[in-house]
């Protein structure tokens, strides 16, 4: 398959790589749309990542084309968005359901291979089934939209309060 592979800081190559092999509980997603996050720019060109080589891209959507076992077969052919956080599910925050606070997390596209490829291995837990009226391009924006929703909930303005959003990048506009 073709993928953009980050080999080092400012060393992103479009090349042929092996399709991901699936582990129990995973499916193979054929990527149909991927977003470029503001965090991808410094990761690729300035700061690097946790290990090289790595396929970046944590904002993506696609179609499930293969499953690791019959237990996941209901996902075959489904259009999906992908939640990129891979929590350990065993630390104290995870046991309380606070996955965003996981102490041992992994992350598609920054700590493990992500969506700047034709195919990605994704845990079933991270799939979001898409309604027919949601495009792949819109679904690739689920992660930044979740960040915007989190910010709105955190601010929790009252109906009579005014809010100013500073920085109208993708998340600010959402």
């Amino acid at each position: 398959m073709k993928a953009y592979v980050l080999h080092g800081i400012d060393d992103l190559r479009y090349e042929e790589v092996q399709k991901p092999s699936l582990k129990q509980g995973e499916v193979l997603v054929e990527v149909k749309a991927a977003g470029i996050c503001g965090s991808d720019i410094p990761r690729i060109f300035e700061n690097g990542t946790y290990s090289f080589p790595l396929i970046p891209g944590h904002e993506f959507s696609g179609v499930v084309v293969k499953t690791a076992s019959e237990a996941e077969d209901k996902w075959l052919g489904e259009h999906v968005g992908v939640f990129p956080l891979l929590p350990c599910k065993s630390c104290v925050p995870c046991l309380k359901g606070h996955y965003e606070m996981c102490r041992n997390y992994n992350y598609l596209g920054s700590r493990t291979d992500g969506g700047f490829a034709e195919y990605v291995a994704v845990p079933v837990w991270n799939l979001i089934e898409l309604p027919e009226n949601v495009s792949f391009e819109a679904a690739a924006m689920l992660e930044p939209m979740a960040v915007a929703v989190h910010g709105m909930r955190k601010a929790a303005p009252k109906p009579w309060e005014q809010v100013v959003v500073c920085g109208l990048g993708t998340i600010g506009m959402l």
Side-chain angles (χ1 to χ4, degrees), residues 144-165:
M145 184 62 188
V147 172
V149 169
H150 174 74
M152 290 186 296
R153 287 181 177 160
K154 190 89 170 150
K158 306 291 185 250
W160 60 86
E161 293 180 314
Q162 293 183 355
V163 176
V164 174
V165 178

Side-chain angles (χ1 to χ4, degrees), residues 22-28 66-70 72-73:
L22 298 178
K23 297 179 210 146
Q24 191 68 20
E26 290 183 335
V27 300
L28 190 66
K66 185 178 178 183
T67 62
S69 70
E70 288 182 20
E72 289 88 28
D73 279 355

Side-chain angles (χ1 to χ4, degrees), residues 74-155:
K74 72 177 190 111
W75 287 98
L76 279 173
E78 290 293 333
H79 292 201
V80 295
V82 177
F83 178 62
L85 176 68
L86 304 169
C88 74
K89 297 187 184 171
S90 59
C91 68
V92 173
C94 281
L95 293 174
K96 292 179 179 180
H98 299 290
Y99 303 112
E100 73 284 359
M101 303 295 288
C102 179
R103 295 181 182 152
N104 306 299
Y105 72 93
N106 207 337
Y107 209 83
L108 292 167
S110 68
R111 294 180 179 219
T112 192
D113 288 340
F116 291 175
E118 291 182 279
Y119 299 93
V120 183
V122 178
V124 169
W125 187 84
N126 293 73
L127 299 176
I128 302 164
E129 188 176 352
L130 299 177
E132 287 183 25
N133 64 338
V134 175
S135 71
F136 290 115
E137 293 82 6
M141 296 293 101
L142 286 170
E143 191 272 344
M145 184 62 188
V147 172
V149 169
H150 174 74
M152 290 186 296
R153 287 181 177 160
K154 190 89 170 150

Side-chain angles (χ1 to χ4, degrees), residues 50-72:
Y50 297 89
S51 63
F52 299 104
L54 176 94
I55 299 171
H58 61 273
E59 301 172 355
F60 65 96
S61 63
V63 177
V64 176
V65 295
K66 185 178 178 183
T67 62
S69 70
E70 288 182 20
E72 289 88 28

